Amino acid sequence: MGHETHVHIVPYRVFVRVWLLLLVLTGILVATSTLWHEALSVWAMLIVTPLKAGLVLFYFMHLNYEKPYLRALVFLTLGVLTLFIGILFFDILDR
Amino acid sequence: MSYLTEGRRKGIRSWILSTDHKRIGVLYLVSMVSLFFIAVLIGVLMRIEQLTIETPMFEPQTYNAFFTVHGVIMIFMFVLPGLPAVFGNFFLPIMIGAKDVSFPRLNLLSWYFFIAGTGLVVASLFTGAGPPDTGWTFYAPFSLTSGTNVSLGVFGAFVLGFSSILTGLNFITTIHRLRAPGMKWHRMPLFAWSLYGTAWIQVLATPIIGITLLLVIAERLFGIGVFDPAKGGDPLLYQHLFWIYSHPAVYIMILPAMGAITEIIPTFARKTIFGYKAIAYSSLAIAFLGSLVWGHHMFTSGMSEKANLVFSLLTFIVAVPSAIKVFNWTATLYKGSIEVRPPMLYALTFVFLFAIGGLTGLMQGALAVNVQLHDTYFIVGHFHYVMFGGTGMGFFAALLYWFPKMFGKTYNEKIAVFAWVPIFIGFNMLYFAMLVLGYMGMPRRYFTHLPQYRTGHIIASIGGFILAVGLVMFFANLVVALKRGRKAEQNPWGGVTLEWKIPTPPPLENFSIIPRIDDRPYRFNPEGS
């Protein structure tokens, strides 16, 4: 069989570090929602949540070790979804 | 030996359990053409209703069910799966030099989803409180309150969506991973490019309609109040979500038809395609820009003025890549050695009718005109020019072009041309009359009409009957050819893409040796003679 044997062995410590970072980011989110003004928690959510999702995609789902074009395709998909939602605001903000 | 005779199984099981992309393509063809004729019949019944308004043949509620079912079948079960499911499945792997699609079992599963969705929609007609009466758009809040069998019909459409997504996924992977050695992106036939653009829309946009339809069901069953204004919901949100999918869906329908036309025109002009890269990238541009113009279905809905302006502008922009294709086809014909055989005749008809459909679409992109024409017969005329004159005619042209290769039989070319006459005349009588009626103010979806629209309706109805006769002639010719047609040659039209370089009908795995591609496609006289 001529299939590719292109496997990345990621050390456990990488996963542990990413997991700890995710916990810290979650802690930040919880803190901003309870400690400060509620508007801040929305901004924290908008900034921190994509960061967390990115960490999961890149390390736990191995996107970091894929070819650039596959990475591009994932972000193209997310970009289109963001664009759809963004255009909706031309209506919703001014109605 | 061909794919029609080889295989482990015999009889019906050799078809419904086959993972061969060609057999699956034929399965789609048979299912879709059968459904197409059911919807044509319903269309004819609607035209009879408009002829008999003094003593109506059908109840108004029956008429509501007619246009809903006609729309659902034609859109979700014919033009949407249309060319990708039949010709994409059959020819994409062959054209890129592969033995099958990337996921053959998933491919068969897609067909089962298609049949299951169809079954659910058909079941919705005969069970519960009668067929859905909402129109194919299932607009809220009416679809939330209608006493008819909307939930089951909507669920059927949801299941059909899975078929579309999985087919799209399969095609993207196939094009990325299974191109023959040497077939770089710019050596790929343009039909494959159009399928690539289409597949991305299928994968990205279809889940949105899936969730939206589920929300309609949840709202009907549990009253969750997302779309129902009485519960604080937003019915315009439904329209947004519906059209975020359903406008790009128009490009799912038309792009592969454009791809097929791009194959046919160079073959019958004996000339390489003009503007290969422009056509390839315009497919992607159409797929992308076409995904951003959904709001032009909502200009009169109460959407904000700013949104109206933005969507109007975007709508005009999407006309540019569409026009690029039309200009490139025309330029390909210029100084070509044109031979108008049946596939070419239907392909040229596509260009003519699609141009009318496209230009009437641009008219509605203008906000002021749209307010006048919204929800009139003008819209009905326009989208039939695009979907039937465009996708439908593209489907017929593709069928005539690839039929000998698919089944190894030749059809009667004279009858194919003869059938074109009633199709072309009937089509234009029916739909051009609708454009005029709409301009005069005839609203769509009414079971009856005022006296001033009488003449237009008579012309449209007679045109509809002529068209139906032409369609029967067209398909009868092909059915007869299947039974009694002469054996087809390997390359009856002198095509130069890979499908014409393998035996007719193709063998089970297409190629005994995967070819090596050293040149761009559409080279009709590589010696420069």
Side-chain angles (χ1 to χ4, degrees), chain B residues 285-317:
Chain B
I286 289 175
F288 178 69
L289 290 169
S291 299
L292 308 179
V293 300
W294 72 83
H296 67 212
H297 295 268
M298 301 167 56
F299 286 153
T300 60
S301 68
M303 191 171 61
S304 84
E305 285 302 311
K306 190 188 278 177
N308 280 348
L309 285 173
V310 170
F311 283 120
S312 178
L313 176 71
L314 288 168
T315 301
F316 283 109
I317 292 174

PDB file of all heavy atoms in Angstrom, chain B residues 285-317:
ATOM      1  N   ALA B 285     -15.721  33.398  -8.477  1.00  0.00           N
ATOM      2  CA  ALA B 285     -16.226  34.738  -8.132  1.00  0.00           C
ATOM      3  C   ALA B 285     -17.745  34.714  -7.996  1.00  0.00           C
ATOM      4  O   ALA B 285     -18.315  35.323  -7.081  1.00  0.00           O
ATOM      5  CB  ALA B 285     -15.805  35.744  -9.201  1.00  0.00           C
ATOM      6  N   ILE B 286     -18.401  33.991  -8.899  1.00  0.00           N
ATOM      7  CA  ILE B 286     -19.860  33.878  -8.812  1.00  0.00           C
ATOM      8  C   ILE B 286     -20.236  33.189  -7.496  1.00  0.00           C
ATOM      9  O   ILE B 286     -21.145  33.615  -6.785  1.00  0.00           O
ATOM     10  CB  ILE B 286     -20.439  33.106 -10.018  1.00  0.00           C
ATOM     11  CG1 ILE B 286     -20.338  33.954 -11.282  1.00  0.00           C
ATOM     12  CG2 ILE B 286     -21.882  32.714  -9.777  1.00  0.00           C
ATOM     13  CD1 ILE B 286     -20.779  33.235 -12.542  1.00  0.00           C
ATOM     14  N   ALA B 287     -19.502  32.119  -7.179  1.00  0.00           N
ATOM     15  CA  ALA B 287     -19.804  31.388  -5.946  1.00  0.00           C
ATOM     16  C   ALA B 287     -19.647  32.304  -4.735  1.00  0.00           C
ATOM     17  O   ALA B 287     -20.480  32.304  -3.822  1.00  0.00           O
ATOM     18  CB  ALA B 287     -18.885  30.173  -5.815  1.00  0.00           C
ATOM     19  N   PHE B 288     -18.606  33.116  -4.726  1.00  0.00           N
ATOM     20  CA  PHE B 288     -18.365  33.977  -3.572  1.00  0.00           C
ATOM     21  C   PHE B 288     -19.344  35.164  -3.546  1.00  0.00           C
ATOM     22  O   PHE B 288     -20.075  35.357  -2.557  1.00  0.00           O
ATOM     23  CB  PHE B 288     -16.919  34.489  -3.595  1.00  0.00           C
ATOM     24  CG  PHE B 288     -16.616  35.422  -2.466  1.00  0.00           C
ATOM     25  CD1 PHE B 288     -16.551  34.954  -1.156  1.00  0.00           C
ATOM     26  CD2 PHE B 288     -16.421  36.780  -2.695  1.00  0.00           C
ATOM     27  CE1 PHE B 288     -16.298  35.823  -0.101  1.00  0.00           C
ATOM     28  CE2 PHE B 288     -16.170  37.654  -1.647  1.00  0.00           C
ATOM     29  CZ  PHE B 288     -16.111  37.168  -0.349  1.00  0.00           C
ATOM     30  N   LEU B 289     -19.378  35.919  -4.637  1.00  0.00           N
ATOM     31  CA  LEU B 289     -20.240  37.112  -4.635  1.00  0.00           C
ATOM     32  C   LEU B 289     -21.709  36.722  -4.537  1.00  0.00           C
ATOM     33  O   LEU B 289     -22.507  37.397  -3.883  1.00  0.00           O
ATOM     34  CB  LEU B 289     -20.006  37.927  -5.908  1.00  0.00           C
ATOM     35  CG  LEU B 289     -18.648  38.635  -5.984  1.00  0.00           C
ATOM     36  CD1 LEU B 289     -18.407  39.173  -7.380  1.00  0.00           C
ATOM     37  CD2 LEU B 289     -18.587  39.765  -4.965  1.00  0.00           C
ATOM     38  N   GLY B 290     -22.061  35.610  -5.189  1.00  0.00           N
ATOM     39  CA  GLY B 290     -23.452  35.161  -5.150  1.00  0.00           C
ATOM     40  C   GLY B 290     -23.914  34.826  -3.736  1.00  0.00           C
ATOM     41  O   GLY B 290     -25.113  34.808  -3.449  1.00  0.00           O
ATOM     42  N   SER B 291     -22.949  34.582  -2.843  1.00  0.00           N
ATOM     43  CA  SER B 291     -23.316  34.271  -1.463  1.00  0.00           C
ATOM     44  C   SER B 291     -23.613  35.527  -0.649  1.00  0.00           C
ATOM     45  O   SER B 291     -24.049  35.430   0.491  1.00  0.00           O
ATOM     46  CB  SER B 291     -22.178  33.505  -0.779  1.00  0.00           C
ATOM     47  OG  SER B 291     -21.951  32.306  -1.455  1.00  0.00           O
ATOM     48  N   LEU B 292     -23.355  36.688  -1.228  1.00  0.00           N
ATOM     49  CA  LEU B 292     -23.500  37.919  -0.447  1.00  0.00           C
ATOM     50  C   LEU B 292     -24.685  38.771  -0.890  1.00  0.00           C
ATOM     51  O   LEU B 292     -24.822  39.899  -0.433  1.00  0.00           O
ATOM     52  CB  LEU B 292     -22.215  38.750  -0.567  1.00  0.00           C
ATOM     53  CG  LEU B 292     -20.906  38.021  -0.245  1.00  0.00           C
ATOM     54  CD1 LEU B 292     -19.728  38.954  -0.420  1.00  0.00           C
ATOM     55  CD2 LEU B 292     -20.937  37.475   1.176  1.00  0.00           C
ATOM     56  N   VAL B 293     -25.519  38.274  -1.768  1.00  0.00           N
ATOM     57  CA  VAL B 293     -26.553  39.138  -2.352  1.00  0.00           C
ATOM     58  C   VAL B 293     -27.965  38.737  -1.932  1.00  0.00           C
ATOM     59  O   VAL B 293     -28.934  39.201  -2.516  1.00  0.00           O
ATOM     60  CB  VAL B 293     -26.469  39.136  -3.895  1.00  0.00           C
ATOM     61  CG1 VAL B 293     -25.122  39.642  -4.343  1.00  0.00           C
ATOM     62  CG2 VAL B 293     -26.733  37.761  -4.470  1.00  0.00           C
ATOM     63  N   TRP B 294     -28.067  37.902  -0.892  1.00  0.00           N
ATOM     64  CA  TRP B 294     -29.374  37.316  -0.589  1.00  0.00           C
ATOM     65  C   TRP B 294     -30.457  38.358  -0.305  1.00  0.00           C
ATOM     66  O   TRP B 294     -31.630  38.131  -0.558  1.00  0.00           O
ATOM     67  CB  TRP B 294     -29.246  36.340   0.581  1.00  0.00           C
ATOM     68  CG  TRP B 294     -29.024  36.992   1.915  1.00  0.00           C
ATOM     69  CD1 TRP B 294     -29.999  37.500   2.717  1.00  0.00           C
ATOM     70  CD2 TRP B 294     -27.787  37.224   2.600  1.00  0.00           C
ATOM     71  NE1 TRP B 294     -29.443  38.014   3.864  1.00  0.00           N
ATOM     72  CE2 TRP B 294     -28.092  37.866   3.824  1.00  0.00           C
ATOM     73  CE3 TRP B 294     -26.469  36.947   2.316  1.00  0.00           C
ATOM     74  CZ2 TRP B 294     -27.112  38.237   4.741  1.00  0.00           C
ATOM     75  CZ3 TRP B 294     -25.499  37.302   3.229  1.00  0.00           C
ATOM     76  CH2 TRP B 294     -25.818  37.951   4.429  1.00  0.00           C
ATOM     77  N   GLY B 295     -30.040  39.527   0.216  1.00  0.00           N
ATOM     78  CA  GLY B 295     -31.039  40.512   0.637  1.00  0.00           C
ATOM     79  C   GLY B 295     -31.870  41.076  -0.502  1.00  0.00           C
ATOM     80  O   GLY B 295     -32.905  41.701  -0.263  1.00  0.00           O
ATOM     81  N   HIS B 296     -31.461  40.827  -1.763  1.00  0.00           N
ATOM     82  CA  HIS B 296     -32.269  41.392  -2.858  1.00  0.00           C
ATOM     83  C   HIS B 296     -33.603  40.675  -3.018  1.00  0.00           C
ATOM     84  O   HIS B 296     -34.428  41.112  -3.812  1.00  0.00           O
ATOM     85  CB  HIS B 296     -31.476  41.480  -4.174  1.00  0.00           C
ATOM     86  CG  HIS B 296     -31.109  40.177  -4.797  1.00  0.00           C
ATOM     87  ND1 HIS B 296     -29.954  39.993  -5.516  1.00  0.00           N
ATOM     88  CD2 HIS B 296     -31.739  38.983  -4.821  1.00  0.00           C
ATOM     89  CE1 HIS B 296     -29.898  38.754  -5.957  1.00  0.00           C
ATOM     90  NE2 HIS B 296     -30.973  38.124  -5.549  1.00  0.00           N
ATOM     91  N   HIS B 297     -33.795  39.608  -2.257  1.00  0.00           N
ATOM     92  CA  HIS B 297     -35.131  38.977  -2.235  1.00  0.00           C
ATOM     93  C   HIS B 297     -36.037  39.671  -1.218  1.00  0.00           C
ATOM     94  O   HIS B 297     -37.193  39.303  -1.067  1.00  0.00           O
ATOM     95  CB  HIS B 297     -35.017  37.501  -1.871  1.00  0.00           C
ATOM     96  CG  HIS B 297     -34.276  36.695  -2.890  1.00  0.00           C
ATOM     97  ND1 HIS B 297     -34.892  36.042  -3.926  1.00  0.00           N
ATOM     98  CD2 HIS B 297     -32.956  36.459  -3.055  1.00  0.00           C
ATOM     99  CE1 HIS B 297     -33.987  35.431  -4.676  1.00  0.00           C
ATOM    100  NE2 HIS B 297     -32.803  35.680  -4.169  1.00  0.00           N
ATOM    101  N   MET B 298     -35.469  40.644  -0.487  1.00  0.00           N
ATOM    102  CA  MET B 298     -36.187  41.182   0.682  1.00  0.00           C
ATOM    103  C   MET B 298     -36.354  42.698   0.625  1.00  0.00           C
ATOM    104  O   MET B 298     -36.589  43.328   1.653  1.00  0.00           O
ATOM    105  CB  MET B 298     -35.402  40.818   1.957  1.00  0.00           C
ATOM    106  CG  MET B 298     -35.215  39.331   2.142  1.00  0.00           C
ATOM    107  SD  MET B 298     -33.989  38.972   3.407  1.00  0.00           S
ATOM    108  CE  MET B 298     -34.658  39.842   4.806  1.00  0.00           C
ATOM    109  N   PHE B 299     -36.234  43.292  -0.574  1.00  0.00           N
ATOM    110  CA  PHE B 299     -36.269  44.754  -0.654  1.00  0.00           C
ATOM    111  C   PHE B 299     -37.575  45.343  -0.132  1.00  0.00           C
ATOM    112  O   PHE B 299     -37.611  46.463   0.347  1.00  0.00           O
ATOM    113  CB  PHE B 299     -36.036  45.213  -2.098  1.00  0.00           C
ATOM    114  CG  PHE B 299     -34.603  45.082  -2.553  1.00  0.00           C
ATOM    115  CD1 PHE B 299     -34.309  44.903  -3.898  1.00  0.00           C
ATOM    116  CD2 PHE B 299     -33.549  45.152  -1.653  1.00  0.00           C
ATOM    117  CE1 PHE B 299     -32.993  44.791  -4.332  1.00  0.00           C
ATOM    118  CE2 PHE B 299     -32.218  45.035  -2.078  1.00  0.00           C
ATOM    119  CZ  PHE B 299     -31.954  44.850  -3.414  1.00  0.00           C
ATOM    120  N   THR B 300     -38.671  44.598  -0.260  1.00  0.00           N
ATOM    121  CA  THR B 300     -39.956  45.147   0.179  1.00  0.00           C
ATOM    122  C   THR B 300     -40.382  44.580   1.533  1.00  0.00           C
ATOM    123  O   THR B 300     -41.521  44.745   1.950  1.00  0.00           O
ATOM    124  CB  THR B 300     -41.069  44.834  -0.845  1.00  0.00           C
ATOM    125  OG1 THR B 300     -41.159  43.420  -0.964  1.00  0.00           O
ATOM    126  CG2 THR B 300     -40.774  45.444  -2.198  1.00  0.00           C
ATOM    127  N   SER B 301     -39.443  43.923   2.212  1.00  0.00           N
ATOM    128  CA  SER B 301     -39.849  43.217   3.428  1.00  0.00           C
ATOM    129  C   SER B 301     -39.862  44.100   4.670  1.00  0.00           C
ATOM    130  O   SER B 301     -40.325  43.681   5.729  1.00  0.00           O
ATOM    131  CB  SER B 301     -38.886  42.046   3.674  1.00  0.00           C
ATOM    132  OG  SER B 301     -37.609  42.563   3.999  1.00  0.00           O
ATOM    133  N   GLY B 302     -39.308  45.322   4.565  1.00  0.00           N
ATOM    134  CA  GLY B 302     -39.189  46.152   5.759  1.00  0.00           C
ATOM    135  C   GLY B 302     -37.778  46.138   6.315  1.00  0.00           C
ATOM    136  O   GLY B 302     -37.520  46.626   7.411  1.00  0.00           O
ATOM    137  N   MET B 303     -36.866  45.587   5.524  1.00  0.00           N
ATOM    138  CA  MET B 303     -35.453  45.599   5.917  1.00  0.00           C
ATOM    139  C   MET B 303     -34.949  47.052   5.890  1.00  0.00           C
ATOM    140  O   MET B 303     -35.539  47.896   5.233  1.00  0.00           O
ATOM    141  CB  MET B 303     -34.707  44.752   4.883  1.00  0.00           C
ATOM    142  CG  MET B 303     -33.318  44.409   5.202  1.00  0.00           C
ATOM    143  SD  MET B 303     -32.698  43.188   4.011  1.00  0.00           S
ATOM    144  CE  MET B 303     -32.825  44.042   2.448  1.00  0.00           C
ATOM    145  N   SER B 304     -33.828  47.330   6.595  1.00  0.00           N
ATOM    146  CA  SER B 304     -33.371  48.726   6.685  1.00  0.00           C
ATOM    147  C   SER B 304     -32.952  49.264   5.314  1.00  0.00           C
ATOM    148  O   SER B 304     -32.560  48.505   4.427  1.00  0.00           O
ATOM    149  CB  SER B 304     -32.187  48.824   7.652  1.00  0.00           C
ATOM    150  OG  SER B 304     -30.985  48.511   6.986  1.00  0.00           O
ATOM    151  N   GLU B 305     -33.042  50.599   5.176  1.00  0.00           N
ATOM    152  CA  GLU B 305     -32.690  51.239   3.906  1.00  0.00           C
ATOM    153  C   GLU B 305     -31.227  50.979   3.553  1.00  0.00           C
ATOM    154  O   GLU B 305     -30.882  50.770   2.400  1.00  0.00           O
ATOM    155  CB  GLU B 305     -32.930  52.757   4.001  1.00  0.00           C
ATOM    156  CG  GLU B 305     -34.392  53.142   3.944  1.00  0.00           C
ATOM    157  CD  GLU B 305     -35.059  52.643   2.676  1.00  0.00           C
ATOM    158  OE1 GLU B 305     -34.503  52.852   1.583  1.00  0.00           O
ATOM    159  OE2 GLU B 305     -36.138  52.018   2.764  1.00  0.00           O
ATOM    160  N   LYS B 306     -30.378  51.030   4.589  1.00  0.00           N
ATOM    161  CA  LYS B 306     -28.949  50.825   4.328  1.00  0.00           C
ATOM    162  C   LYS B 306     -28.710  49.424   3.754  1.00  0.00           C
ATOM    163  O   LYS B 306     -27.969  49.253   2.793  1.00  0.00           O
ATOM    164  CB  LYS B 306     -28.137  51.016   5.621  1.00  0.00           C
ATOM    165  CG  LYS B 306     -26.633  51.045   5.344  1.00  0.00           C
ATOM    166  CD  LYS B 306     -25.817  51.028   6.611  1.00  0.00           C
ATOM    167  CE  LYS B 306     -25.708  52.412   7.227  1.00  0.00           C
ATOM    168  NZ  LYS B 306     -24.964  52.399   8.500  1.00  0.00           N
ATOM    169  N   ALA B 307     -29.377  48.438   4.353  1.00  0.00           N
ATOM    170  CA  ALA B 307     -29.225  47.067   3.847  1.00  0.00           C
ATOM    171  C   ALA B 307     -29.713  46.983   2.406  1.00  0.00           C
ATOM    172  O   ALA B 307     -29.090  46.332   1.562  1.00  0.00           O
ATOM    173  CB  ALA B 307     -29.990  46.094   4.740  1.00  0.00           C
ATOM    174  N   ASN B 308     -30.818  47.670   2.100  1.00  0.00           N
ATOM    175  CA  ASN B 308     -31.322  47.664   0.725  1.00  0.00           C
ATOM    176  C   ASN B 308     -30.256  48.160  -0.241  1.00  0.00           C
ATOM    177  O   ASN B 308     -30.025  47.568  -1.299  1.00  0.00           O
ATOM    178  CB  ASN B 308     -32.548  48.572   0.605  1.00  0.00           C
ATOM    179  CG  ASN B 308     -33.807  47.883   1.120  1.00  0.00           C
ATOM    180  OD1 ASN B 308     -33.808  46.678   1.363  1.00  0.00           O
ATOM    181  ND2 ASN B 308     -34.869  48.645   1.314  1.00  0.00           N
ATOM    182  N   LEU B 309     -29.599  49.278   0.127  1.00  0.00           N
ATOM    183  CA  LEU B 309     -28.584  49.854  -0.754  1.00  0.00           C
ATOM    184  C   LEU B 309     -27.405  48.901  -0.935  1.00  0.00           C
ATOM    185  O   LEU B 309     -26.939  48.681  -2.060  1.00  0.00           O
ATOM    186  CB  LEU B 309     -28.076  51.178  -0.166  1.00  0.00           C
ATOM    187  CG  LEU B 309     -29.028  52.361  -0.307  1.00  0.00           C
ATOM    188  CD1 LEU B 309     -28.486  53.566   0.460  1.00  0.00           C
ATOM    189  CD2 LEU B 309     -29.207  52.720  -1.774  1.00  0.00           C
ATOM    190  N   VAL B 310     -26.950  48.324   0.179  1.00  0.00           N
ATOM    191  CA  VAL B 310     -25.789  47.426   0.115  1.00  0.00           C
ATOM    192  C   VAL B 310     -26.102  46.225  -0.782  1.00  0.00           C
ATOM    193  O   VAL B 310     -25.325  45.867  -1.673  1.00  0.00           O
ATOM    194  CB  VAL B 310     -25.392  46.950   1.531  1.00  0.00           C
ATOM    195  CG1 VAL B 310     -24.361  45.827   1.460  1.00  0.00           C
ATOM    196  CG2 VAL B 310     -24.853  48.106   2.343  1.00  0.00           C
ATOM    197  N   PHE B 311     -27.267  45.615  -0.570  1.00  0.00           N
ATOM    198  CA  PHE B 311     -27.601  44.421  -1.345  1.00  0.00           C
ATOM    199  C   PHE B 311     -27.835  44.746  -2.819  1.00  0.00           C
ATOM    200  O   PHE B 311     -27.529  43.945  -3.700  1.00  0.00           O
ATOM    201  CB  PHE B 311     -28.817  43.713  -0.742  1.00  0.00           C
ATOM    202  CG  PHE B 311     -28.478  42.920   0.494  1.00  0.00           C
ATOM    203  CD1 PHE B 311     -29.069  43.204   1.707  1.00  0.00           C
ATOM    204  CD2 PHE B 311     -27.561  41.886   0.440  1.00  0.00           C
ATOM    205  CE1 PHE B 311     -28.766  42.475   2.848  1.00  0.00           C
ATOM    206  CE2 PHE B 311     -27.243  41.149   1.574  1.00  0.00           C
ATOM    207  CZ  PHE B 311     -27.839  41.442   2.777  1.00  0.00           C
ATOM    208  N   SER B 312     -28.385  45.929  -3.082  1.00  0.00           N
ATOM    209  CA  SER B 312     -28.597  46.329  -4.472  1.00  0.00           C
ATOM    210  C   SER B 312     -27.248  46.454  -5.178  1.00  0.00           C
ATOM    211  O   SER B 312     -27.055  45.934  -6.285  1.00  0.00           O
ATOM    212  CB  SER B 312     -29.352  47.658  -4.513  1.00  0.00           C
ATOM    213  OG  SER B 312     -29.518  48.076  -5.834  1.00  0.00           O
ATOM    214  N   LEU B 313     -26.293  47.100  -4.517  1.00  0.00           N
ATOM    215  CA  LEU B 313     -24.957  47.265  -5.103  1.00  0.00           C
ATOM    216  C   LEU B 313     -24.303  45.909  -5.361  1.00  0.00           C
ATOM    217  O   LEU B 313     -23.798  45.644  -6.461  1.00  0.00           O
ATOM    218  CB  LEU B 313     -24.082  48.092  -4.155  1.00  0.00           C
ATOM    219  CG  LEU B 313     -22.631  48.257  -4.608  1.00  0.00           C
ATOM    220  CD1 LEU B 313     -22.548  49.174  -5.813  1.00  0.00           C
ATOM    221  CD2 LEU B 313     -21.770  48.811  -3.478  1.00  0.00           C
ATOM    222  N   LEU B 314     -24.348  45.035  -4.350  1.00  0.00           N
ATOM    223  CA  LEU B 314     -23.721  43.718  -4.489  1.00  0.00           C
ATOM    224  C   LEU B 314     -24.360  42.931  -5.637  1.00  0.00           C
ATOM    225  O   LEU B 314     -23.689  42.204  -6.362  1.00  0.00           O
ATOM    226  CB  LEU B 314     -23.851  42.927  -3.181  1.00  0.00           C
ATOM    227  CG  LEU B 314     -22.967  43.407  -2.022  1.00  0.00           C
ATOM    228  CD1 LEU B 314     -23.386  42.742  -0.712  1.00  0.00           C
ATOM    229  CD2 LEU B 314     -21.500  43.114  -2.302  1.00  0.00           C
ATOM    230  N   THR B 315     -25.682  43.107  -5.795  1.00  0.00           N
ATOM    231  CA  THR B 315     -26.390  42.387  -6.853  1.00  0.00           C
ATOM    232  C   THR B 315     -25.861  42.795  -8.225  1.00  0.00           C
ATOM    233  O   THR B 315     -25.671  41.956  -9.110  1.00  0.00           O
ATOM    234  CB  THR B 315     -27.896  42.681  -6.759  1.00  0.00           C
ATOM    235  OG1 THR B 315     -28.339  42.269  -5.474  1.00  0.00           O
ATOM    236  CG2 THR B 315     -28.675  41.940  -7.828  1.00  0.00           C
ATOM    237  N   PHE B 316     -25.611  44.094  -8.403  1.00  0.00           N
ATOM    238  CA  PHE B 316     -25.088  44.530  -9.693  1.00  0.00           C
ATOM    239  C   PHE B 316     -23.679  43.994  -9.917  1.00  0.00           C
ATOM    240  O   PHE B 316     -23.298  43.672 -11.036  1.00  0.00           O
ATOM    241  CB  PHE B 316     -25.115  46.065  -9.792  1.00  0.00           C
ATOM    242  CG  PHE B 316     -26.504  46.579 -10.058  1.00  0.00           C
ATOM    243  CD1 PHE B 316     -27.228  47.243  -9.094  1.00  0.00           C
ATOM    244  CD2 PHE B 316     -27.097  46.356 -11.292  1.00  0.00           C
ATOM    245  CE1 PHE B 316     -28.517  47.670  -9.335  1.00  0.00           C
ATOM    246  CE2 PHE B 316     -28.385  46.785 -11.549  1.00  0.00           C
ATOM    247  CZ  PHE B 316     -29.101  47.454 -10.562  1.00  0.00           C
ATOM    248  N   ILE B 317     -22.920  43.886  -8.826  1.00  0.00           N
ATOM    249  CA  ILE B 317     -21.535  43.401  -8.975  1.00  0.00           C
ATOM    250  C   ILE B 317     -21.511  41.940  -9.436  1.00  0.00           C
ATOM    251  O   ILE B 317     -20.681  41.546 -10.252  1.00  0.00           O
ATOM    252  CB  ILE B 317     -20.757  43.566  -7.645  1.00  0.00           C
ATOM    253  CG1 ILE B 317     -20.563  45.060  -7.359  1.00  0.00           C
ATOM    254  CG2 ILE B 317     -19.405  42.867  -7.709  1.00  0.00           C
ATOM    255  CD1 ILE B 317     -19.942  45.350  -6.012  1.00  0.00           C
TER     256      ILE B 317
END
